C-alpha cells in the first residue's frame, strides 16, 4: 500500500494529510495564516509524527482546482517544489471530486453526487459523479463554472459543497427536496479525500512528473470591476 502525502488549499481551509500503512492523519489551518505560510509547517509536522521523510512517500497528491485562484496556485507551486526536491511523482485530484468523496464519507448511500462549490462573483463550480465499485468516481458532468440556476441535475443525486448554502436563494429547501436525495453543504474538499483518491489513482498509474502539475482554472477573470459590482448589488436589491 503506497504512502501518499496530500495537500489541499483551494478553499478558505488549508489542509495536509498523510496516508501511510492504512492510517490517515491530517492537519488543517484557517484564518490565522495565508495558505502559503501554513502548508509547509503542516507537512513537516505530519512527516515528523509518522517518522518519515519526504523521500519515503510514494507520491504527492494535491487539489488541482477549481477553487480560489491563489489557493490552487499555492498547491501547485508547493507540490512542484516538493516533487522536484524529492523526485516523487504528483497526482492531481479535482477538488469537486474530493468533495464528492467527502459526501460519500458522510453517507455511504451517496453513489451519485452533485458537487457544488462557491466560486464567488455570483457563480459556482459544479460537477456530477458516480461512485465506481472499485473506488474513485466516474465523471457524469465535467467541472463547469455557472450561475447557480444553471447547474444541471439528473435523477436524484446527493448534493454537497458550500455552494448549496452560499447560494441558498436558489438552492431553497423546497428545491433541494424535489431535486436531491439528501444534501451535505459541509462536505468540502480536504486533504484527507485528496490522499484517499491520490492513493487509488497512483495505484492505477496516474502519477505525473512535477512539471505536469498544473492548476485547473475554469475562470480567467478573478475579480469584478467596480461597475460590475454595482450592477450585481443593484440586481440583488431588486430581487
Amino acid at each position: 500500500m503506497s504512502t501518499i502525502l496530500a495537500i489541499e488549499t483551494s478553499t478558505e481551509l488549508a489542509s495536509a494529510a498523510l496516508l501511510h500503512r492504512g492510517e490517515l492523519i491530517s492537519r488543517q489551518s484557517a484564518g490565522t495564516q495565508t495558505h502559503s505560510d501554513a502548508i509547509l509547517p503542516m507537512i513537516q509536522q505530519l512527516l515528523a509524527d509518522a517518522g518519515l521523510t519526504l523521500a519515503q512517500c510514494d507520491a504527492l497528491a494535491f487539489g488541482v482546482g477549481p477553487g480560489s485562484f491563489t489557493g490552487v496556485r499555492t498547491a501547485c507551486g508547493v507540490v512542484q517544489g516538493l516533487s522536484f526536491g524529492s523526485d516523487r511523482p504528483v497526482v492531481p485530484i479535482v477538488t469537486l471530486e474530493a468533495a464528492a468523496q467527502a459526501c460519500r464519507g458522510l453517507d455511504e448511500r451517496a453513489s451519485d453526487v452533485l458537487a457544488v462549490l462557491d466560486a464567488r462573483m455570483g457563480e459556482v463550480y459544479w460537477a456530477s459523479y458516480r461512485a465506481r465499485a472499485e473506488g474513485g468516481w466516474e465523471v457524469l458532468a465535467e467541472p463547469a463554472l455557472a450561475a447557480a440556476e444553471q447547474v444541471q441535475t439528473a435523477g436524484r443525486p446527493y448534493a454537497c459543497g458550500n455552494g448549496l448554502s452560499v447560494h441558498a436563494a436558489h438552492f431553497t429547501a423546497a428545491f433541494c427536496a424535489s431535486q436531491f436525495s439528501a444534501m451535505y453543504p459541509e462536505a468540502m474538499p480536504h486533504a484527507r479525500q485528496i490522499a484517499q483518491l491520490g492513493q487509488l489513482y497512483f495505484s492505477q498509474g496516474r502519477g505525473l512528473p512535477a512539471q505536469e502539475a498544473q492548476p485547473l482554472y475554469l475562470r480567467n477573470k478573478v475579480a469584478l470591476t467596480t461597475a460590475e459590482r454595482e450592477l450585481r448589488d443593484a440586481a440583488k436589491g431588486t430581487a
Side-chain angles (χ1 to χ4, degrees):
M1 188 174 291
S2 55
T3 295
I4 304 295
L5 177 67
I7 63 172
E8 179 13 59
T9 60
S10 69
T11 69
E12 294 179 356
L13 184 73
S15 58
L18 183 67
L19 183 52
H20 176 59
R21 294 180 178 174
E23 182 180 0
L24 181 61
I25 57 175
S26 65
R27 297 285 184 275
Q28 62 187 41
S29 174
T32 58
Q33 294 175 293
T34 64
H35 289 355
S36 57
D37 290 334
I39 198 68
L40 286 175
M42 287 194 288
I43 290 171
Q44 292 169 345
Q45 187 61 58
L46 285 172
L47 292 171
D49 290 348
L52 296 174
T53 65
L54 187 60
Q56 290 175 290
C57 297
D58 293 295
L60 312 175
F62 72 106
V64 69
S68 158
F69 182 78
T70 301
V72 295
R73 286 180 60 192
T74 295
C76 182
V78 169
V79 82
Q80 277 189 327
L82 295 175
S83 177
F84 278 123
S86 61
D87 194 28
R88 300 292 89 187
V90 301
V91 186
I93 304 296
V94 175
T95 50
L96 290 158
E97 186 174 351
Q101 183 79 4
C103 182
R104 190 162 172 80
L106 293 174
D107 192 332
E108 62 182 12
R109 299 170 299 173
S111 55
D112 282 20
V113 177
L114 172 72
V116 186
L117 302 179
D118 179 38
R120 301 195 176 185
M121 297 173 66
E123 295 177 309
V124 297
Y125 299 118
W126 72 278
S128 292
Y129 297 94
R130 175 167 294 158
R132 296 182 183 274
E134 67 274 21
W137 297 86
E138 174 189 357
V139 181
L140 301 180
E142 294 285 348
L145 173 70
E149 58 269 22
Q150 294 174 323
V151 173
Q152 300 173 18
T153 62
R156 286 182 58 82
Y158 289 73
C160 69
N162 66 348
L164 301 172
S165 52
V166 174
H167 298 268
H170 172 71
F171 295 107
T172 62
F175 176 87
C176 292
S178 68
Q179 298 293 317
F180 307 136
S181 294
M183 53 186 293
Y184 295 93
E186 70 274 24
M188 292 287 289
H190 191 281
R192 292 188 295 267
Q193 290 79 43
I194 301 294
Q196 292 167 342
L197 293 171
Q199 185 180 72
L200 173 65
Y201 294 150
F202 177 68
S203 73
Q204 296 174 349
R206 292 167 63 173
L208 301 174
Q211 61 269 25
E212 294 186 31
Q214 299 297 324
L216 173 60
Y217 293 134
L218 297 181
R219 172 191 283 149
N220 293 323
K221 186 175 182 178
V222 297
L224 294 174
T225 65
T226 299
E228 287 169 333
R229 288 196 299 272
E230 290 174 350
L231 285 172
R232 178 200 60 192
D233 294 342
K236 288 182 178 178
T238 300

